[in-house]
Amino acid sequence: MKFKKANVLFEEALKDMEIGCYNKAVSAAYFSVRLMAEVLLKDVKTTKDDKIANAIGRLLGREFKDEMMWLYEERKKADHRPFFFDEKRASLVIERASNILEVMKDKIAGDT
């Protein structure tokens, strides 16, 4: 179920980009990565974003932990800060989220 939800959230992020809802796109892109990380980790027992990122880093490499934490910081800007994403910045978030999602999906496919 989480795998499907992660994919739906990313598709919604793309649709939000099309209609100019950049803050929503950033948030949905982050949560798609977060849910896919939970699928990949299988036995994750925490809901803390930094702990999940650390676990991803142990599994996929430090750059993935760093990337996930960067996405998390962007998501906080979108949802909790007086910051407005423009198309360029939101597109960067979408691109980076897409890259990490593809690696996670490949790893999940290889584990089955």
Side-chain angles (χ1 to χ4, degrees):
M1 187 60 119
K2 286 183 181 181
F3 185 87
K4 182 176 181 177
K5 179 74 176 208
N7 286 310
V8 167
L9 284 172
F10 193 74
E11 290 301 316
E12 289 176 354
L14 296 176
K15 289 176 184 173
D16 285 332
M17 285 297 296
E18 288 175 12
I19 61 173
C21 294
Y22 304 125
N23 295 299
K24 286 176 54 184
V26 167
S27 186
Y30 169 74
F31 281 111
S32 69
V33 170
R34 162 72 190 262
L35 280 175
M36 195 63 72
E38 290 179 18
V39 172
L40 184 57
L41 295 170
K42 294 178 187 135
D43 61 350
V44 67
K45 302 211 183 340
T46 184
T47 58
K48 296 188 181 230
D49 297 273
D50 60 329
K51 303 273 188 215
I52 291 171
N54 285 333
I56 286 295
R58 286 190 297 277
L59 186 64
L60 298 177
R62 168 84 187 209
E63 65 273 13
F64 289 94
K65 175 213 177 245
D66 294 343
E67 195 70 357
M68 208 167 160
M69 289 307 298
W70 181 83
L71 290 169
Y72 175 62
E73 291 300 322
E74 295 300 289
R75 196 280 301 178
K76 286 194 308 187
K77 287 181 199 172
D79 291 341
H80 302 294
R81 306 287 187 264
F83 182 89
F84 294 96
F85 280 83
D86 60 17
E87 182 177 10
K88 183 178 177 184
R89 184 67 179 209
S91 292
L92 177 63
V93 172
I94 295 292
E95 178 182 334
R96 290 171 73 169
S98 178
N99 291 339
I100 196 170
L101 280 170
E102 289 308 310
V103 171
M104 287 182 187
K105 287 179 187 180
D106 288 346
K107 179 75 173 154
I108 291 165
D111 288 348
T112 57

